[in-house]
Amino acid sequence: MTSRLPPDLFQLFTPRPPLAPVPPTDRAPDDKPKPALSGIAQYVSELSQAPLATPVETPKQRRDRIKREHAVLARDNIIRGLSTWDPSLNLQATEDPYKTIIVARLNYDTTENDLRTEFQAFGSIASIKMVNDMDGNFRGYAFVEFEREADMREAFRRADAMRILGRRVVVDVERGRTVKGWLPRRFAGGLGGTRLGGKDLNQKEPGRFDPIMPPEPERRYVDNRSHDRSDKPPRGRDSSGNRAHQPHNAAASRGHYDSRNRDRDRDRDRDRGRDYDRDRDRDRDRRDRHRSRSPSVRPSRRDRSYDRGAGGTSHYSRRY
């Protein structure tokens, strides 16, 4: 078929010339020269005089070392701080510690007016102390002093875990000047369970938390409506099926309940009888109307007036 193609198309099917041979760039492994191998006996004396290797600290060892150094530094800072810490000498504290509560975990945008608005519902407020750092930034907790101790106790009971500016707060009494041997959180004291350990130990619920106190039992909601009523004994009988003894007042109440039931049944029967009479009268009227349409049995005007009550007893008069 290709022989019949024109020359220009036949040239497309012509094979190309073969490639020119190229000498190999590498030799076989057996033809390559091999290096000369010798023993190490002549270098043993030099190895004995080599310097010893310096141990290298692994990343885990470095992390552990930094952790120990931080723990030692924190312990030294606590010891130095305890030597100069005295809450009774704090000039910025409130006047009466027994009328003061501490409000912690506040939103950093909280102002004194916000706290006054929230806590004046519990009583008259004497003063509010917002705690700031050395740069004047709010640290997230404040002290609220009431004019009466009863108002402070009311706020202590009811204001814990309340929401202020979108955050759940912790409300507690001032323990620095009222509890002997009390230490703040920065001196490895205080309350709270957010730094107990891992995620399985830290406290995540809002409100006060004392690590010394045992945890509260878990509260579970039990829906009594979901129980099967077939497990309950019949009314008026105990679990064994015998008639249960009822006091005199219970029997009287049951008799009153039975009398009400009888009255209700009597009224229901009376209404049912009235409905039956009304249906029977309606059927009689329908039959009479059908019969009156026939000319042969159509009653006279006198008979109809007589049936309406002119002197006879129609079904209307019988009913009423």
Side-chain angles (χ1 to χ4, degrees):
M1 294 292 296
T2 56
S3 60
R4 299 181 181 180
L5 294 175
D8 52 349
L9 295 179
F10 181 75
Q11 188 177 3
L12 298 176
F13 293 93
T14 303
R16 297 180 180 179
L19 299 176
V22 179
T25 57
D26 197 2
R27 290 180 292 179
D30 297 338
D31 298 340
K32 294 181 180 179
K34 298 179 177 58
L37 301 178
S38 61
I40 61 171
Q42 55 183 349
Y43 303 105
V44 173
S45 60
E46 298 181 4
L47 292 176
S48 59
Q49 300 176 0
L52 298 178
T54 304
V56 180
E57 187 180 26
T58 62
K60 184 178 182 305
Q61 293 175 351
R62 181 176 178 275
R63 289 193 298 268
D64 295 342
R65 176 179 57 80
I66 294 175
K67 186 177 180 180
R68 289 192 301 267
E69 292 176 356
H70 287 176
V72 173
L73 182 60
R75 185 167 56 251
D76 296 341
N77 293 335
I78 290 175
I79 294 174
R80 287 194 301 269
L82 287 175
S83 60
T84 59
W85 182 71
D86 189 358
S88 60
L89 301 178
N90 187 6
L91 301 178
Q92 304 296 330
T94 58
E95 294 182 2
D96 192 350
Y98 293 96
K99 299 179 182 179
T100 305
I101 60 173
I102 178 175
V103 186
R105 299 183 188 174
L106 288 169
N107 192 325
Y108 289 100
D109 297 332
T110 306
T111 61
E112 183 176 345
N113 294 331
D114 297 334
L115 293 180
R116 189 176 300 275
T117 302
E118 295 292 340
F119 286 94
Q120 67 182 0
F122 304 105
S124 300
I125 297 176
S127 63
I128 297 177
K129 302 294 183 179
M130 308 289 289
V131 181
N132 301 327
D133 57 8
M134 300 299 295
D135 298 332
N137 300 321
F138 182 52
R139 298 190 60 182
Y141 65 97
F143 293 91
V144 180
E145 181 183 4
F146 291 89
E147 295 182 358
R148 298 190 308 168
E149 187 176 351
D151 298 338
M152 184 274 296
R153 295 181 182 276
E154 184 69 15
F156 173 76
R157 287 192 298 265
R158 295 176 52 190
D160 187 38
M162 70 183 300
R163 189 182 295 276
I164 299 178
L165 295 184
R167 293 192 63 177
R168 297 283 185 178
V169 300
V170 177
V171 177
D172 196 8
V173 297
E174 183 183 349
R175 300 176 183 267
R177 294 180 292 174
T178 59
V179 179
K180 185 178 180 180
W182 172 260
L183 297 177
R185 192 64 175 268
R186 65 178 183 273
F187 294 147
L191 299 180
T194 58
R195 303 178 185 177
L196 296 178
K199 295 182 179 180
D200 54 341
L201 298 178
N202 291 338
Q203 179 71 13
K204 303 179 182 62
E205 299 296 332
R208 290 186 297 269
F209 176 77
D210 191 352
I212 302 177
M213 299 297 293
E216 296 183 0
E218 183 180 0
R219 299 178 182 178
R220 295 183 179 180
Y221 173 74
V222 179
D223 190 1
N224 297 325
R225 298 174 298 178
S226 61
H227 293 273
D228 189 4
R229 295 186 178 181
S230 62
D231 298 340
K232 299 181 180 180
R235 180 176 296 179
R237 298 182 180 273
D238 53 9
S239 59
S240 59
N242 300 325
R243 185 179 299 276
H245 175 69
Q246 296 180 350
H248 177 70
N249 55 357
S253 62
R254 186 183 62 182
H256 178 66
Y257 179 77
D258 294 341
S259 63
R260 288 192 303 174
N261 287 343
R262 285 195 298 270
D263 296 340
R264 189 183 299 108
D265 296 340
R266 191 182 300 109
D267 296 340
R268 188 183 299 109
D269 295 339
R270 188 183 298 110
D271 295 340
R272 189 181 298 110
R274 290 178 180 176
D275 295 339
Y276 175 75
D277 294 340
R278 188 181 299 108
D279 296 340
R280 185 179 57 186
D281 295 341
R282 188 182 297 109
D283 294 340
R284 185 182 296 108
D285 292 342
R286 188 181 298 108
R287 289 196 301 269
D288 294 343
R289 192 181 305 108
H290 178 71
R291 190 177 303 158
S292 62
R293 293 175 181 175
S294 177
S296 60
V297 297
R298 181 176 299 176
S300 63
R301 181 175 300 178
R302 181 180 179 182
D303 295 338
R304 289 199 298 271
S305 63
Y306 183 80
D307 292 340
R308 291 192 187 98
T313 57
S314 64
H315 62 275
Y316 294 103
S317 61
R318 287 197 305 270
R319 181 179 179 186
Y320 300 103

